[in-house]
Amino acid sequence: MAVLTDTSLPLNGVAQARPSASANAAPRRLDPRVSLTVLVAINVQMALTQSLFAEMGVLALTVVVMAYCRRFFAIVRWLAFYVLFAVTAQLFVASGNTLLSPFAASLLMYRHVLPAFMFAFNMIATTRLGELACALQAMHVPVNVSVAVCVAFRFLPTMGREFSAVADAMKTRGIALTPRSVVRHPAKTAEHFLVPVIARLGQVADELGNAVVVRGVGASARRTSYYRLRICAVDIACLIAAMTLLAFAVCLRAGVLC
């Protein structure tokens, strides 16, 4: 008997639940297989070269993909972080203060890897879990690895919801989670915040285990899916651009390009 892998909930349930200007528009996303391939290529490129030109290429590719997915507010937020890291690092370097050199190096490292984080978070926000599971099965990824990848992609959105729920509960009880409260009563604030989060983590783990069993992860039959993945022209263009940037990084690493 075939077992369904699908869940209709997106990876970022909070973002999807909020109304937006493009709520009535057809959803746009890259094919999960293409997104995974591009994400791996971006990470390999970041490890191979520190070239600013290559970094700008990845940033431009990520911004184009996010614009195609109609995530314009996310583009503004991520670019603001990128500019903040870049400008602050340059100010530290220009100051000539040796004590600020480690902070400048850290900020430059964060700026370098930020485009990869942008692409990963865009994939998390736009890819449904059923699509991701279907893509991993189509790529003949072992079931255990597929489950681990799906859980990893659900981790950040789930933790974000739990943190937000605990913070709202603290406000209801008159214990606001503010910088002032953290400075004045760090132990008390940590207790009121971390204890409920840790307790919820156990419940979330149980719910996740039940969801895995319901979706028939241990079944021997081939799993089916509600989704039919198709690679379109945008996916091909994105894949070509990522492979071109990766080839450029390899050439820089090999010394072919100066």
Side-chain angles (χ1 to χ4, degrees):
M1 184 177 79
V3 180
L4 294 177
T5 65
D6 174 70
T7 176
S8 60
L9 293 177
L11 294 179
N12 190 346
V14 175
Q16 294 292 333
R18 296 175 181 172
S20 62
S22 59
N24 297 325
R28 288 182 178 180
R29 60 181 67 91
L30 295 180
D31 186 284
R33 294 165 292 184
V34 174
S35 294
L36 287 171
T37 304
V38 172
L39 185 59
V40 172
I42 288 175
N43 281 275
V44 172
Q45 174 187 337
M46 292 295 182
L48 286 177
T49 178
Q50 301 291 325
S51 170
L52 181 61
F53 183 78
E55 180 182 324
M56 290 293 103
V58 175
L59 181 64
L61 173 62
T62 304
V63 168
V64 170
V65 171
M66 294 177 70
Y68 170 75
C69 297
R70 299 193 179 103
R71 303 192 68 241
F72 303 107
F73 291 108
I75 293 175
V76 174
R77 289 196 299 268
W78 282 104
L79 289 181
F81 277 113
Y82 185 86
V83 172
L84 177 63
F85 288 156
V87 172
T88 307
Q90 291 302 322
L91 290 176
F92 286 170
V93 172
S95 67
N97 192 336
T98 56
L99 296 177
L100 297 178
S101 298
F103 298 100
S106 299
L107 290 174
L108 290 175
M109 181 188 68
Y110 294 149
R111 187 209 68 189
H112 181 68
V113 301
L114 191 62
F117 278 98
M118 288 175 62
F119 192 92
F121 275 89
N122 181 73
M123 179 181 174
I124 292 173
T126 58
T127 304
R128 295 179 181 272
L129 190 58
E131 293 175 332
L132 180 61
C134 181
L136 293 173
Q137 179 174 276
M139 298 168 67
H140 302 287
V141 176
V143 176
N144 293 336
V145 177
S146 300
V147 172
V149 172
C150 292
V151 170
F153 271 80
R154 283 298 299 269
F155 175 76
L156 290 177
T158 301
M159 291 303 298
R161 290 195 295 269
E162 297 304 325
F163 288 157
S164 178
V166 172
D168 292 340
M170 291 176 63
K171 290 180 182 178
T172 303
R173 292 168 173 80
I175 312 172
L177 186 63
T178 61
R180 180 181 178 182
S181 65
V182 173
V183 172
R184 294 183 61 184
H185 307 287
K188 185 176 180 180
T189 304
E191 178 185 356
H192 289 159
F193 183 73
L194 293 180
V195 171
V197 169
I198 294 174
R200 275 294 301 160
L201 286 179
Q203 299 177 11
V204 169
D206 291 337
E207 294 170 358
L208 181 59
N210 295 334
V212 168
V213 173
V214 169
R215 287 170 176 80
V217 170
S220 58
R222 178 174 176 79
R223 296 150 58 85
T224 61
S225 175
Y226 288 126
Y227 299 102
R228 294 294 179 267
L229 302 178
R230 292 186 301 177
I231 296 178
C232 62
V234 175
D235 297 314
I236 296 175
C238 181
L239 191 58
I240 292 175
M243 292 300 106
T244 301
L245 291 172
L246 179 59
F248 177 75
V250 171
C251 291
L252 286 177
R253 184 71 176 184
V256 177
L257 299 176
C258 298

